[in-house]
């Protein structure tokens, strides 16, 4: 048996998404910029997809800019904020995905007058809102607040609405990396006042290499990729037609029954937590685990130190359980996680992130727990 519990890294493509993409791969080869029939047909597929996505998020189709995924959309936000919108102060957190953290640092390198401030966090990874307000109040420059909606390693959720209100009060721009929450929670962008959010289709059973930036119509975009006039001149390059169609289909499926998926996955997560606490001495969880404050697809577990501590992920893999230690996005190497460090978690204990999807079953969780129990029974010192 092989059990996949690494859905925060990526998810399997939904069969319906594949079924939507395959005939397009076979038949639709027109360049969306061509003015003939095949080009117009390809263009229509893209614009239909944009409408599907914008209707799910309650925004305008023109506020959706297709990108190669979450990383590019995050990068585009910073380029726009600094190069077009005059931002000279970035407020972020030490536990952002590298697509944000490294990009903020890069902006500072490119523009030495850009200041990057880090908001304080508690030991579960929650942003200290008082400190955020102090930073905003003391800011003398045009400011961008960039804080992720859910942390990809520990699942802690940001109260988006509260942060949005604070940023509005201090006239700052607000970007949230919603890569882990898009497709898993609903967004009403008429209600939530935010400037930029980002998406990667492969996190909710869509294809890899496609995503988008939502950019509130108040803000003009600075292109990062220069070339043709695709995406209204904001992102040059022939569009990823098949990916875009797959992304829209994945979005439709995700939002067909988002509450049902949430309930199913949350039950599995709670079940796994109970089982681990009951069956393995000294286990605890990192990040918030209260459902309203925690991404239901992610469970970060700190295991007791054992003689095989460093080999835990490898042993699990041999036993048929795919999971990850910290962020799998950076490399295959298991190195210290900047997220665990950012919340002062005990980095000397073995740590595994299990992450679930709507396709995960209770039998799979039982299998994973069985393997873990066997490992810890044998290796306790
Ligand atoms: C929170 C977060 N942001 C950004 C990304 C990058 O997305 P992509 O792989 O589509 O570039 C990831 C991927 O793991 C992520 O988890």
């Amino acid at each position: 048996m092989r059990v996949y519990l690494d859905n925060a890294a990526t998810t399997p493509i939904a069969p319906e998404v594949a079924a939507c993409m395959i005939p397009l791969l076979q038949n639709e080869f027109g360049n969306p910029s061509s003015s003939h029939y095949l080009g117009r047909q390809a263009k229509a597929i893209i614009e239909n997809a944009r409408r599907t996505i914008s209707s799910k998020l309650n925004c305008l189709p023109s506020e959706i800019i297709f990108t190669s995924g979450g990383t590019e959309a995050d990068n585009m936000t910073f380029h726009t904020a600094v190069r077009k919108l005059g931002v000279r102060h970035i407020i972020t957190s030490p536990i952002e995905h590298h697509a944000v953290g490294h990009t903020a640092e890069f902006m500072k390198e490119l523009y030495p007058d850009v200041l990057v401030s880090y908001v304080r966090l508690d030991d579960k990874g929650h942003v200290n809102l008082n400190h955020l307000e102090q930073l905003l109040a003391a800011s003398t420059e045009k400011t961008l607040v960039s804080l992720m909606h859910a942390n990809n390693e520990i699942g802690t959720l940001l109260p988006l609405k509260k942060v949005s209100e604070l940023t509005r009060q201090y006239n700052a721009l607000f970007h949230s990396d919603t890569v882990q929450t898009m497709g898993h929670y609903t967004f009403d962008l008429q209600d939530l006042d935010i400037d930029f959010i980002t998406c990667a289709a492969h996190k909710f059973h869509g294809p890899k290499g496609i995503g988008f930036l939502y950019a509130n119509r108040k803000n003009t975009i600075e292109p990062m990729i220069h070339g043709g006039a695709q995406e209204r001149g904001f992102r040059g390059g022939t569009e990823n037609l098949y990916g875009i169609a797959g992304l829209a289909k994945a979005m439709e499926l995700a939002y067909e029954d988002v509450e049902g998926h949430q309930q199913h996955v949350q039950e599995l997560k709670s079940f796994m937590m109970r089982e681990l606490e009951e069956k393995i001495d000294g286990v605890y969880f990192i990040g918030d685990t209260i459902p309203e404050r925690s991404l239901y697809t992610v469970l970060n577990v700190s295991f007791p130190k054992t003689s095989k501590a460093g080999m835990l992920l490898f042993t699990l893999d041999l036993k048929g359980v795919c999971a990850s230690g910290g962020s799998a996005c950076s490399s295959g190497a298991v190195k210290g996680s900047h997220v665990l460090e950012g919340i002062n978690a005990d980095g000397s204990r073995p740590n595994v992130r299990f992450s679930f999807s709507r396709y995960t079953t209770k039998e799979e969780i039982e299998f994973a727990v069985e393997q873990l129990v066997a490992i810890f029974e044998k290796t306790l010192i």
Side-chain angles (χ1 to χ4, degrees), residues 77-88:
T77 301
F78 284 86
H79 276 263
T80 289
V82 173
R83 300 185 57 223
K84 190 83 171 191
L85 305 174
V87 163
R88 282 298 172 270

Side-chain angles (χ1 to χ4, degrees), residues 1 280 312 315-316 318-321 365-378:
M1 187 163 178
I280 301 175
L312 184 53
T315 313
L316 271 177
L318 285 181
K319 287 174 167 284
V321 180
I365 303 286
E366 282 167 346
F367 177 80
V369 171
E370 246 170 59
Q371 307 315 308
L372 285 160
V373 169
I375 294 170
F376 281 90
E377 262 171 5
K378 281 197 206 115

Side-chain angles (χ1 to χ4, degrees), residues 8-10 68-74 96-100 148-153 177-181 198-203 208-211 327-330 353:
T10 197
S68 62
T71 303
E72 185 188 330
D74 285 335
E96 296 298 304
H97 190 274
H98 288 321
V100 164
M148 68 204 307
H149 187 197
N151 186 277
N152 50 301
E153 291 188 38
D177 176 329
T178 50
V179 168
Q180 288 291 340
T181 51
T198 51
C199 164
H202 71 104
K203 305 291 187 184
K208 292 174 182 49
I210 186 71
S327 172
C329 307
S330 38
R353 176 190 68 181

